[in-house]
Amino acid sequence: QSEKVALFQDAWYGEPDEQHASGVLKILQSLNLDEATLTAASNIARTHGKEALTKLIGDESAKLLIGYRGLRQAQAKLVRNDGGLSISGQEEMLRKMLLAFGDDLRVVLIYLASRLQTLRWITQEKLEMPKAWAQEILNIDASLANRLGIWQMKWEMEDLAFRAMSPDTYRDIAKMLDAKRIERQSFIDRIVLQLQDELKAAQIDGEVLGRPKHIYSIWKKMQGKSLDFADLYDVRAFRVLVADVKS
C-alpha cells in the first residue's frame, strides 16, 4: 500500500473503504450532483494511478478523483504534529481549495463530503477526535461549506465538531432544546404557514424553510452576548427561497 493511499485511509479514522465511499456518495446524492461526481465518489477508495483510473471510471470522473487526492495531499502537508493547522496553514489550505474552484468546484464538494462522512463515522463509533482536528473542521471545512451556500453541511459539520470539542456543553444545550422540542416545532410550523400565505398573497413563487438553530450557533450566541440559554429568544431560523430578488 502506498504512503499516499495510507494517508487518505488514515484520515478516515478506520472507517472501512466501502462504507466511507457509500457515505460520501449519499451526501453528494443529496446535493443532486451529476453522474461523473457520483462515480468519482463511489470509487474514492481506489488506489489506481491516473491512467488506470481513467480506463476504469472514465476521464471526467478520474480527473475529479485525482483533484480530490491533490487537496488531501495539500492538507496533509500543512497539518501540525497535534493534528491541527497553524493559522498560516489554514489560510494556505483555504487558498488551495479556492484555487481548485477554478479547475472544478466538484473536487471541493467531494472533499467536503468525505470530511463530513468521517465526522459522522467518528460520532457513530464514539471515537476520540483530536480537538485540533475538530477546530480545523470549524475553521476551514464548515466555513467553506458556508461560502458555497451548502448550509445543511455547514450546520452538521459545526455541530459534530463542537460535540467533539465540548461534549458536556453540547449535551447540556441539546437537553435544553429537547425539553421544548414540541413547542418549538409547533411555532416553526405556524410561522412557515404564515409566510407561505404572505408569499401567495403577493403572488411570489417561493419556498419557506424553518428549523431550530443548530447547537453550535446557539453556543456562539451565548458566548458572544454572555447570555444564558434561558435568555435566548432567537433559537429558530427561517429562510425564504425565491427565483430572484427585485431591487
Side-chain angles (χ1 to χ4, degrees), residues 134-198:
Q135 191 65 57
E136 179 190 328
I137 292 287
L138 291 174
N139 291 349
I140 296 180
D141 302 290
S143 174
L144 195 54
N146 183 52
R147 291 188 187 194
L148 293 174
I150 315 173
W151 295 295
Q152 186 57 49
M153 183 179 284
K154 169 190 180 288
W155 300 330
E156 188 175 356
M157 281 182 161
E158 287 182 338
D159 274 3
L160 293 180
F162 178 56
R163 181 177 183 174
M165 293 176 67
S166 306
D168 293 338
T169 304
Y170 178 94
R171 191 161 42 247
D172 289 344
I173 296 176
K175 284 181 180 178
M176 288 185 283
L177 282 173
D178 195 53
K180 294 188 175 182
R181 181 177 55 83
I182 296 176
E183 175 188 331
R184 189 173 64 250
Q185 190 59 51
S186 176
F187 175 85
I188 289 172
D189 292 343
R190 188 169 70 252
I191 296 301
V192 166
L193 288 174
Q194 289 179 7
L195 289 173
Q196 287 174 337
D197 289 342
E198 292 293 335

Side-chain angles (χ1 to χ4, degrees), residues 99-157:
L99 285 175
F101 287 1
D103 186 26
D104 201 316
L105 174 60
R106 294 172 295 176
V107 169
V108 183
L109 295 178
I110 295 171
Y111 170 87
L112 289 175
S114 178
R115 297 282 272 179
L116 176 54
Q117 175 58 26
T118 297
L119 272 173
R120 289 178 175 179
W121 164 257
I122 289 171
T123 303
Q124 173 192 315
E125 297 299 309
K126 297 181 172 61
L127 303 176
E128 184 177 352
M129 184 195 306
K131 290 188 177 181
W133 195 84
Q135 191 65 57
E136 179 190 328
I137 292 287
L138 291 174
N139 291 349
I140 296 180
D141 302 290
S143 174
L144 195 54
N146 183 52
R147 291 188 187 194
L148 293 174
I150 315 173
W151 295 295
Q152 186 57 49
M153 183 179 284
K154 169 190 180 288
W155 300 330
E156 188 175 356
M157 281 182 161

Side-chain angles (χ1 to χ4, degrees), residues 9-17 121 127:
Q9 295 177 336
D10 289 346
W12 300 342
Y13 277 75
E15 182 180 19
D17 290 350
W121 164 257
L127 303 176

